[in-house]
Amino acid sequence: MKQFFRLLLVLMAGAASLHADDGYRLWLRYEPLATQAQRDYLREQIACIVAPGSSPTVEKAVAELQRGLGGLSGQPVDLRAAVPELGSFLLLATADDEALDDLELADDLDELGPEGYRIQSVERDGQTGIVIAANRDIGLLYGSFALLREVQTAHSLSHLDLASKPHIQRRLLNHWDNLTRTVERGTAGQSLWEWFQLPDYRTPRYEDYARACASVGINGVSLTNVNADALVLTPQYLEKVAALADVFRPYGIRVYLTARFSAPMELAGLDTADPLDDDVRDWWQDKVSEIYARIPDFGGFLVKANSEGQPGPQDYGRNHAEGANMLADALAPHDGIVIWRAFVYAAEEQEDRVKQAYNEFQPLDGQFRDNVAIQIKNGPLDFMPREPVHPLFGAMPETNLALELQLTQEYLGTSVQLAYLAPLYEEVLDTDTFAEGPGSTVAKVIDGSLTDRKLSVISGVANIGTDRNWTGHPLAQSNWYAYGRLAWNPELSSDQIAQEWTRMSFDRNPAVEDTLVPMLMASRETVVDYSMPLGLHHIMAWDHHYGPGPWVDQGRPDWTATYYHRADREGLGFDRTSQGSNALEQYAPELRQRWERIETTPLNLLLWFHHVPWDYRLRTGNILWDELAYRYQRGVDAVREWEQAWADLQGQIDAQRYAHVAALLKRQEKDAVQWRDAVLLYFQQFSQRPLPAGVEAPAHDLEYYQNLQEHYVPGTPSHQ
Ligand code: GCV
């Protein structure tokens, strides 16, 4: 069977388009299939498109199909008013369209919900056809992208029978974009939103962004930085926001805004933003009504409150529930929601930073309104290359819990380094919290099924900017793609998604697939190896977060590296067991038991939970110090292997993307070497042990690495 698909893939390999390619088209390239026979086959399967509906969304679906099928088959595809007497057809129809009447669909459509679709091969009066059926027009658009994906990934079009609906209702990108167009932690150019030009000029890029999002099922976009600017809530800016919402609407995408908690004071001169104050409540109610008058499908507010200097309800002695509920009450009549972030911690707090969010939020379980979701980062610290799952997942059964993932690679090498993040997302989604017994995965917590919650939300912090290829690193487009696919269906595998994305982005070239998919799949673990292996965390450089900084020990303690790695003459790592900070107490007994002892803790979380002696012999047979050194070396070796593998693809990939990635891999090797040498030299001061055989000696001394300075790293707030 595998052989058969392989053969099909080879046969359907795209006509190698080796001219320069700037990556703008993302995975929606639609280059012609490789041979005339394949193009003819596609034409035979779909000779024309029939779409009885005429909404803006249906128009977008038809336009995409014409663009896609036309491109892939090399010939324009007609749009017809009715199913033709002769020739195969592609019919797009919602449940109430008469065109479905004499066709037998496998099941009725009720199961598909508002956004799902069914794609099925059918026969009518001896004619063969394909039907995309849905309850709503947006399902037809999602189904159209799914059908195109089938062709782009070289799947057969005969006997089609696919049905799909999203597991999570609200699937958002969170842009940390400032109104100045800088992007916090964004490393792919400026913000896409041209605020000064809006609402009058709308760059075509907005629509291409919306197409890409819809193609993977993303249905919400929070436009502005969570470190919020109240200006976006003024009439002048709401008019601009409305213009963007108008572009996104046909693609099923709602806009959300970040609400600065002190906005009533800043914009209306109120002397308080106390959520229980009547004037404050009235102000928000009026503001929300004003927003809905302009944007009837406005999604709601995303709020960062009482965190890293942002204002919030605690400034008035109120708690997070009181703050969130005040906004929720204003939004509820309009079907809007509040996404309230749980990323809170305080410099003055003596408690282990990773325990603080749980301590604040868990006691509030059951106190939030039904239209509030608490948005929790995947781990309890801050998007590290690896963290254990956040203990709040599973600990608030009476509350809607949303998952926040990061696409932008703040701690994984920005858009300079290759890190395909779907394996990280998958690891988080599949983690068992044991909250309601075995099988209580994070995926089930956030899709609401575990404790029957009615609102489900997932967010990804965008890695998108004005760079021509959108994401800076040409291969980082895969993270946008993968996030959307997993948000739609958290049960997909990262491997399958990598394969899909590679086929779509490199025109079904099997040589590229054979090389690139394993590279993508290994990349996140490789970054872990050469930067923060064995559960190390937060040992990056100060402020801009690029490169190593295990020596950082000045400034706010919980922003230093020494707070986290705790290296001393005895060993390395943060003791979070009952003997230490006892962060373990926040997890279910099954996880606690697993992580309480060094012997049973997975090596990839070892130093997160334990302070381990340098000469402690691990189950690999190596003592800690040697294992640490081997992992750093392994990371460097992997990057070198990719460079070689990528070089073998020269001539198989267009020159522009080939050269860009080749240069970035070279830089990644340099960076990996720097991480290895700097960190090992630094920890060697404590371990007092030689590097084991097979680990390369550093080219410089520790002082050299400590003196290296990166200036103006893109996305760094203090440089913006
Ligand atoms: C938007 C980290 C980042 C900040 C970011 C913050 C957050 O601290 O370094 O830039 O601010 O997370 O998620 O709110």
Side-chain angles (χ1 to χ4, degrees):
M1 200 62 170
K2 218 172 161 192
Q3 284 297 344
F4 169 77
F5 283 114
R6 173 94 196 145
L7 182 67
L8 196 68
L9 187 61
V10 174
L11 290 174
M12 293 188 80
S17 59
L18 296 179
H19 49 82
D21 192 310
D22 59 17
Y24 182 83
R25 289 174 297 168
L26 296 158
W27 49 88
L28 303 174
R29 295 165 56 77
Y30 308 135
E31 287 285 332
L33 297 171
T35 67
Q36 190 59 46
Q38 289 143 23
R39 298 193 286 274
D40 290 346
Y41 168 80
L42 181 54
R43 290 287 298 170
E44 275 161 30
Q45 299 300 309
I46 303 172
C48 67
I49 300 168
V50 184
S54 62
S55 71
T57 299
V58 171
E59 281 168 24
K60 298 298 179 198
V62 169
E64 195 70 32
L65 287 165
Q66 287 190 301
R67 180 203 287 242
L69 296 172
L72 288 153
S73 70
Q75 286 178 61
V77 182
D78 292 344
L79 178 63
R80 300 277 178 83
V83 171
E85 298 283 305
L86 277 177
S88 58
F89 58 89
L90 169 61
L91 172 66
L92 271 65
T94 48
D96 47 4
D97 279 331
E98 283 173 10
L100 283 186
D101 287 353
D102 10 330
L103 298 174
E104 279 208 4
L105 291 185
D107 287 307
D108 65 30
L109 302 177
D110 293 349
E111 288 290 291
L112 297 176
E115 294 181 298
Y117 58 83
R118 168 169 285 284
I119 305 177
Q120 198 182 310
S121 301
V122 289
E123 262 193 43
R124 192 169 110 153
D125 303 333
Q127 295 293 105
T128 57
I130 296 171
V131 175
I132 301 177
N135 288 311
R136 305 243 181 107
D137 291 346
I138 188 63
L140 299 180
L141 181 65
Y142 290 145
S144 300
F145 278 115
L147 179 67
L148 288 165
R149 185 164 58 235
E150 290 297 295
V151 182
Q152 289 176 283
T153 53
H155 292 152
S156 162
L157 294 185
S158 48
H159 310 298
L160 280 170
D161 188 8
L162 305 170
S164 188
K165 66 175 178 184
H167 292 218
I168 298 168
Q169 295 153 354
R170 302 206 183 211
R171 307 172 297 278
L172 277 76
L173 279 178
N174 291 182
H175 287 260
W176 286 354
D177 294 15
N178 299 312
L179 298 180
T180 56
R181 299 194 65 198
T182 56
V183 180
E184 184 153 351
R185 309 303 176 190
T187 55
Q190 284 195 294
S191 166
L192 291 179
W193 325 129
E194 299 179 356
W195 293 109
F196 181 63
Q197 309 262 14
L198 284 165
D200 310 291
Y201 174 65
R202 305 168 193 197
T203 164
R205 211 162 173 163
Y206 299 146
E207 182 144 1
D208 287 331
Y209 166 85
R211 284 177 51 232
C213 286
S215 78
V216 289
I218 289 167
N219 68 0
V221 39
S222 172
L223 296 171
T224 42
N225 193 351
V226 288
N227 292 327
D229 187 338
L231 192 61
V232 78
L233 299 175
T234 59
Q236 185 190 7
Y237 272 82
L238 289 176
E239 198 185 350
K240 299 170 191 278
V241 173
L244 289 173
D246 290 345
V247 178
F248 298 156
R249 188 166 300 113
Y251 292 94
I253 298 170
R254 296 173 186 234
V255 298
Y256 296 71
L257 290 175
T258 48
R260 185 162 166 86
F261 205 76
S262 51
M265 299 166 78
E266 288 161 36
L267 299 184
L270 268 58
D271 55 12
T272 177
D274 181 348
L276 301 192
D277 180 280
D278 285 341
D279 290 342
V280 171
R281 297 177 73 85
D282 288 349
W283 186 86
W284 279 109
Q285 254 178 36
D286 291 348
K287 182 52 70 183
V288 166
S289 301
E290 182 191 342
I291 295 175
Y292 278 94
R294 292 177 189 272
I295 311 167
D297 57 350
F298 179 65
F301 292 135
L302 168 63
V303 187
K304 173 175 177 178
N306 293 123
S307 165
E308 297 185 335
Q310 293 300 300
Q314 293 177 337
D315 303 346
Y316 309 95
R318 314 297 181 195
N319 65 29
H320 286 283
E322 288 166 321
N325 290 344
M326 181 268 292
L327 293 176
D329 290 343
L331 287 157
H334 310 274
D335 194 27
I337 65 166
V338 175
I339 306 174
W340 190 270
R341 297 176 85 228
F343 179 68
V344 299
Y345 63 102
E348 314 73 50
E349 179 64 70
Q350 293 309 304
E351 185 62 283
D352 179 358
R353 173 172 159 187
V354 308
K355 293 180 73 177
Q356 294 178 30
Y358 181 102
N359 289 346
E360 277 201 39
F361 277 86
Q362 200 284 330
L364 300 176
D365 186 29
Q367 295 185 30
F368 292 93
R369 299 277 191 266
D370 286 345
N371 62 332
V372 175
I374 301 302
Q375 181 161 295
I376 305 166
K377 289 187 182 183
N378 57 274
L381 183 51
D382 189 12
F383 299 135
M384 293 292 111
R386 173 168 278 109
E387 299 189 33
V389 75
H390 201 298
L392 276 173
F393 290 114
M396 297 181 71
E398 304 294 318
T399 306
N400 306 314
L401 298 184
L403 170 64
E404 180 175 322
L405 299 165
Q406 198 177 42
L407 281 61
T408 193
Q409 295 166 230
E410 178 178 354
Y411 302 103
L412 287 106
T414 73
S415 25
V416 166
Q417 297 176 17
L418 171 61
Y420 170 61
L421 297 173
L424 187 162
Y425 306 156
E426 192 179 30
E427 182 176 299
V428 174
L429 290 163
D430 291 351
T431 299
D432 198 341
T433 66
F434 294 94
E436 307 283 322
S440 307
T441 60
V442 172
K444 286 189 186 155
V445 173
I446 62 162
D447 73 11
S449 61
L450 193 68
T451 55
D452 199 23
R453 305 300 313 164
K454 299 285 177 271
L455 171 65
S456 53
V457 180
I458 187 167
S459 290
V461 180
N463 61 346
I464 304 159
T466 50
D467 277 8
R468 183 68 191 159
N469 70 10
W470 303 87
T471 55
H473 198 305
L475 305 181
Q477 295 178 351
S478 60
N479 290 328
W480 183 2
Y481 181 86
Y483 165 71
R485 296 285 286 139
L486 280 169
W488 179 278
N489 181 1
E491 287 169 7
L492 291 177
S493 78
S494 52
D495 193 42
Q496 178 192 333
I497 296 170
Q499 190 191 61
E500 273 178 14
W501 178 81
T502 303
R503 286 188 185 182
M504 294 166 84
S505 304
F506 292 96
D507 308 328
R508 300 160 297 282
N509 182 330
V512 178
E513 184 175 331
D514 286 350
T515 301
L516 190 50
V517 172
M519 256 169 80
L520 292 173
M521 286 304 293
S523 57
R524 179 273 187 135
E525 205 59 49
T526 292
V527 175
V528 170
D529 275 346
Y530 67 66
S531 63
M532 307 190 205
L534 293 173
L536 281 173
H537 48 286
H538 210 290
I539 59 167
M540 68 288 162
W542 176 262
D543 191 25
H544 57 67
H545 300 166
Y546 191 86
W551 45 79
V552 174
D553 61 356
Q554 298 300 307
R556 204 181 139 158
D558 55 356
W559 286 357
T560 64
T562 48
Y563 176 102
Y564 298 97
H565 65 62
R566 314 230 157 174
D568 57 22
R569 289 301 295 272
E570 268 69 60
L572 180 63
F574 197 132
D575 184 356
R576 293 195 165 105
T577 68
S578 47
Q579 310 300 307
S581 80
N582 206 12
L584 271 179
E585 73 182 340
Q586 298 179 337
Y587 291 94
E590 290 84 345
L591 294 174
R592 246 184 277 153
Q593 270 159 26
R594 187 180 301 167
W595 294 336
E596 176 72 32
R597 293 170 49 230
I598 293 184
E599 303 81 60
T600 53
T601 305
L603 289 187
N604 60 23
L605 290 176
L606 186 69
L607 303 175
W608 184 282
F609 287 117
H610 300 280
H611 191 72
V612 182
W614 292 111
D615 62 354
Y616 182 89
R617 198 157 294 280
L618 302 171
R619 65 199 80 125
T620 57
N622 301 317
I623 59 165
L624 172 68
W625 168 251
D626 289 354
E627 184 69 30
L628 190 72
Y630 289 140
R631 296 213 176 196
Y632 276 101
Q633 183 65 47
R634 188 169 79 183
V636 170
D637 292 344
V639 180
R640 288 181 180 147
E641 280 162 27
W642 300 340
E643 284 180 81
Q644 192 47 55
W646 188 258
D648 292 342
L649 290 179
Q650 188 160 21
Q652 303 274 351
I653 291 176
D654 56 276
Q656 194 171 354
R657 285 188 297 171
Y658 171 79
H660 194 172
V661 172
L664 290 173
L665 289 175
K666 190 115 225 80
R667 165 80 184 266
Q668 189 164 1
E669 181 195 340
K670 243 184 0 192
D671 290 345
V673 167
Q674 184 188 334
W675 265 104
R676 180 198 64 195
D677 294 350
V679 176
L680 289 178
L681 281 170
Y682 173 78
F683 286 141
Q684 201 170 31
Q685 302 175 105
F686 303 94
S687 79
Q688 298 285 316
R689 289 171 180 274
L691 290 175
V695 176
E696 290 163 16
H700 307 278
D701 61 9
L702 178 60
E703 208 187 331
Y704 168 88
Y705 295 103
Q706 286 179 313
N707 286 332
L708 290 177
Q709 283 290 336
E710 292 289 354
H711 299 283
Y712 307 118
V713 176
T716 309
S718 61
H719 301 172
Q720 290 176 336

